Amino acid sequence: MSFPWAKQYTPTTEFGQWMDKQLPLPRFVYNSVGAGYPAPRNLNYMWNFGSMAGLFLVVQIVTGIILAMHYAANATIAFDSVEHIMRDVNSGWMIRYAHANGASFFFIAIYLHIGRGLFYGSYKAPREMLWLLGVVIYLLAMATAFMGYVLPWGQMSFWGAKVITGLFEAIPFIGKPIQELLLGGFAPDNAALNRFFSLHYLLPFVIVGVVIMHIWALHIPGSNNPTGVDVKGPQDTVPFHPYYTAKDGWTIGLALIFFTILMFFLPNALGHADNYIPANPLSTPAHIVPEWYFWPWYAILRAFTFDFLFIPAKLLGVLAMFSAILVWFFLPWLDKSPVRSGSFRPKFKIFFVILVIDVLILGYCGGAPAEEPFVMISQLAAAYYFAHFLIILPLLSRLEKPEPLPTSITESVTGKPLTTAS
Amino acid sequence: MATVETAETAVAEDGGVRRRDFINIAAVSFAGAGAVATVFPLVNQMNPSADVLALASIEVDISAIETGQSIKTSWRKQPIFIRNLTAEEIAEANAVNVSELRDPQTLAERTTAGKENWLITLGVCTHLGCVPLGAAQGEIKGEFGGYFCPCHGSHYDTAARIRKGPAPTNLEVPLHEFLSDTVVKIG
């Protein structure tokens, strides 16, 4: 693990030496996020969102454990227990708003982190496993966020649960039994609420486990960097601590400022007013949408309004929605270009910007009502989304002529060629 | 972009303190203060919530309690003993030499003036929190005719003062006030 020039951990105190022999935890920390982990010297701000996502995962776990101390996962009192948290529990309103908005910040960080990986080719060899684990984390986060949104047992919670489990009904022949299995009934009720609570409590710790593997997989080849060029020598790296701990700390401070602004002054800006109405199985809200971080995928789901061959529209939409994320699992093998960084791929750069705009359009349509022109725009944008991954990327990697790469990270930073001081 | 500290910037300009040292200490202290400020509500949420505190006072109708009788009721999810003392019990309590008690208190100090027959105490033994016997009919009242805690054998007298056994203090008298001759407000 790591580069041969990494600083060695040398405990100075007697206790440190004793500890190092018995349980080398300080050594482990030193080598993973301390001075013993050399990271490329040219990392830009896009490399700050991994640690930020980690921070918000911790915020979610801490506030979530606290909320579970006051919440009751029972369909008759769940809604009231959330109001109890908001009105009666000391600082309960703050902790709940931190949890609700913390989810959004986790997804903001994770989307920027994924975008960084897409542009700088962080998914390419030798980091395929790192990327795959990242996609797994994202899928787990989606499941966790969805089940968490059900717990307040408001109108959006109830109908969200009904619609999302309804997706499974689209599976031919066994769809209906699967939906009933997931819900423990014919519509969301106590059984569904209880299992969602149980899993919502469990999955974040599964995410922590996969995050640890994600970081482990990162530390074997080390971080990618904006040039995509491999680290060639000690001149190309700086120790993670204090350089990147300080830099990550700075953006974490900034993120926390925005987080508190949202939490204290606009706590419901990203929520839906309908979720302050208790769940009513007999009345669907007029405009039902998921949380903003699901909008692009929701738009893809709704884009399929027509049957194709023998496949009904409902099944097509569900398949397309899941495929939109599952296609990321194949990304390292779809983009065969040997150049990692988008900075040196003139055509890829353009298509990357178009993809970002395309996803933003999908996101906008996903949040809009299911009517024209949004349905047609979603259809076009969904088609482009898949075309980007399945057609454009494989073709680009064959046809595009990349710009010349710098010979080393140091050269790209200083303008002077790397001189190996041996 | 990361910059490697050079010998030039590392040189102390003034008294060995660099600008970077100041920034470092200021930033870490600020983050530390923020962390402490964050931890406070995260711990404070475990304190009794507003709905629990809202149950903090109750009103009890005592008109049906005959002399010599007592009732158990519940206040803040804890038992309360309300006892209508007989004249003998009052005399017995007043006959005790207060200075010899473990927790010296007179009956008058533990009741409302003019209503000395109404002894209102928490039904929680001050030793380890069991409910003493003696309030309900037929229960053992202990060697001193008041209350007896079966858990570890604490005996309380007719003023619910600790007389024998491990309990450190008398049964607690909650704040109370007679709203009328027949209604008492506890808490």
Side-chain angles (χ1 to χ4, degrees), chain B residues 49-187:
Chain B
S49 57
D51 60 324
V52 171
L53 294 177
L55 299 174
S57 67
I58 55 163
E59 289 176 15
V60 186
D61 183 355
I62 53 174
S63 58
I65 308 172
E66 309 256 332
T67 305
Q69 265 192 339
S70 48
I71 62 159
K72 285 186 204 179
T73 180
S74 165
W75 175 65
R76 288 184 177 173
K77 304 271 168 179
Q78 300 198 88
I80 283 277
F81 295 160
I82 301 177
R83 185 155 174 168
N84 191 350
L85 297 172
T86 62
E88 299 85 70
E89 285 173 332
I90 294 172
E92 207 177 304
N94 287 335
V96 176
N97 182 0
V98 172
S99 60
E100 286 173 8
L101 294 175
R102 187 178 293 167
D103 184 8
Q105 263 186 325
T106 62
L107 179 64
E109 283 168 349
R110 293 170 61 74
T111 51
T112 308
K115 295 192 181 295
E116 277 88 359
N117 59 319
W118 291 109
L119 178 67
I120 299 172
T121 59
L122 276 188
V124 179
C125 179
T126 56
H127 179 223
L128 291 169
C130 296
V131 180
L133 302 173
Q137 211 155 23
E139 284 182 358
I140 304 165
K141 294 191 173 187
E143 287 177 26
F144 300 89
Y147 301 106
F148 169 68
C149 183
C151 290
H152 307 95
S154 289
H155 297 257
Y156 297 89
D157 67 11
T158 53
R161 294 174 294 200
I162 180 67
R163 298 293 290 274
K164 187 180 170 189
T169 57
N170 303 335
L171 286 188
E172 190 187 333
V173 176
L175 202 65
H176 63 275
E177 180 191 357
F178 285 88
L179 300 179
S180 71
D181 280 349
T182 55
V183 176
V184 63
K185 182 183 165 199
I186 298 173

Side-chain angles (χ1 to χ4, degrees), chain A residues 67-293:
Chain A
L67 289 173
M69 294 179 190
H70 303 282
Y71 169 78
N74 182 299
T76 51
I77 52 172
F79 186 88
D80 292 342
S81 74
V82 172
E83 285 309 301
H84 159 73
I85 290 169
M86 294 301 287
R87 292 153 193 251
D88 296 336
V89 174
N90 301 305
S91 310
W93 58 274
M94 190 181 95
I95 292 158
R96 177 166 173 262
Y97 281 151
H99 196 69
N101 289 301
S104 283
F105 271 74
F106 177 77
F107 276 99
I108 291 171
I110 220 172
Y111 279 135
L112 290 167
H113 191 61
I114 292 171
R116 190 285 318 274
L118 286 176
F119 183 78
Y120 290 107
S122 301
Y123 48 84
K124 291 183 188 179
R127 297 183 183 84
E128 297 98 320
M129 183 53 80
L130 176 60
W131 169 260
L132 299 179
L133 288 168
V135 180
V136 170
I137 292 169
Y138 177 66
L139 288 170
L140 287 169
M142 288 175 82
T144 310
F146 157 67
M147 288 191 274
Y149 196 57
V150 174
L151 303 184
W153 211 238
Q155 275 288 66
M156 283 295 183
S157 302
F158 181 91
W159 292 99
K162 184 136 189 181
V163 169
I164 299 301
T165 53
L167 298 177
F168 293 90
E169 204 194 353
I171 304 167
F173 310 115
I174 53 166
K176 191 81 187 162
I178 285 184
Q179 189 196 5
E180 285 170 12
L181 176 84
L182 291 174
L183 286 175
F186 308 101
D189 200 0
N190 213 27
L193 180 62
N194 264 295
R195 66 190 60 175
F196 282 9
F197 178 60
S198 169
L199 293 172
H200 183 72
Y201 206 116
L202 166 73
L203 287 185
F205 297 98
V206 178
I207 293 178
V208 168
V210 185
V211 165
I212 288 169
M213 289 196 284
H214 188 68
I215 296 171
W216 187 5
L218 166 71
H219 281 57
I220 290 165
S223 294
N224 186 23
N225 67 84
T227 64
V229 174
D230 284 329
V231 166
K232 296 207 170 71
Q235 303 92 324
D236 288 343
T237 64
V238 287
F240 190 83
H241 177 77
Y243 290 96
Y244 289 116
T245 44
K247 194 180 177 185
D248 284 356
W250 149 242
T251 47
I252 279 173
L254 274 183
L256 287 176
I257 289 173
F258 288 114
F259 179 54
T260 42
I261 289 174
L262 195 69
M263 208 172 105
F264 287 111
F265 300 106
L266 299 157
N268 290 306
L270 299 173
H272 301 290
D274 274 0
N275 218 26
Y276 284 103
I277 303 169
N280 179 357
L282 302 180
S283 155
T284 309
H287 177 47
I288 176 158
V289 286
E291 294 284 82
W292 68 266
Y293 35 79

